[in-house]
Amino acid sequence: MSRVLMCPPDYYGIEYEINAWMSRSRQSDRARAIEQWQTLRQLIEKTGAQVELLEPVPGLPDYVFTANAALVYGRRAIMARFRPQQRQPETPHAAAWFRDHGYSVETIPEPYCFEGAGDALFCGETLFAGYRIRSDARGQQELGRMLDCEVLPLELVDPYFYHLDTCFCPLGPGQALYYPPAFDDYGRRVLQARIDDLIAVCDDEARQFACNAVALGHTVLTHAGCTHLHEALRQRGFTPIGIPLDEFIKAGGSAKCLTLMLD
Ligand code: ARG
């Protein structure tokens, strides 16, 4: 059974601007955000996965985006070192949760920034790592040494796709979604060479965070309205489900950002 870490959006809001999506003049609606988050949680539980919860913390509006808390590898949690100072206070809270739940809590060497599973995604045995905007490539090399795995660094070139999980989503070994313009030529070639079934997402749907999908077995959860992607997924035997998550897109996140795989 998969376990997924989430954090209720009690203190979620657009209180600062640290990515191209966020604007304090476009506030989120608390009630709608809670409703959208609960729908996502229920659908995750319906796949048979178990949801674990972080305790929300006042003054940490982005703590809901648990994907960034850490990268979990077995019983090891490699904690984030956030680039934006606004998110740095999240880490001690998340680290306490991992410690209390029996994980070995680790960090990559200083001074490198690393934003957890937002920028580090396994596809098969290989770790695909997004760098430049939020995480540092050198830190990801250190991460590869710590985990003793192959790391393929991918430079992110578009400020709207600032974490790897906004433009890349593994579905299983050798299978993934990606948004080609978010990468440079070299990154695109690496992905094409290393992933047999690489599904390109179109511009419109990429901007609806189509790549920020939660893949649990055959179920794939995305923001509503990603029709082309859903068709491509159905052809491959997946069951895509769209749910409105626009309250979180205001902060630059969607389904995947709101979750962290614990296995
Ligand atoms: N406002 C948050 C930030 O800019 C959104 C994080 C989205 N998380 C993700 N894994 N893409 O840090």
Side-chain angles (χ1 to χ4, degrees), residues 16 18-19 22 62 65 67-68 82 84 87 115 117-119 134 162-163 165-166 209 212 251-254 256-257:
Y16 44 72
I18 56 169
N19 66 52
M22 299 174 91
D62 276 337
F65 297 113
N68 298 121
F82 283 100
R87 292 198 67 184
E115 299 204 356
D119 269 333
R134 293 297 192 83
Y162 60 97
H163 278 139
D165 69 2
T166 64
F209 272 76
N212 201 250
S254 180
K256 161 62 176 44
C257 304

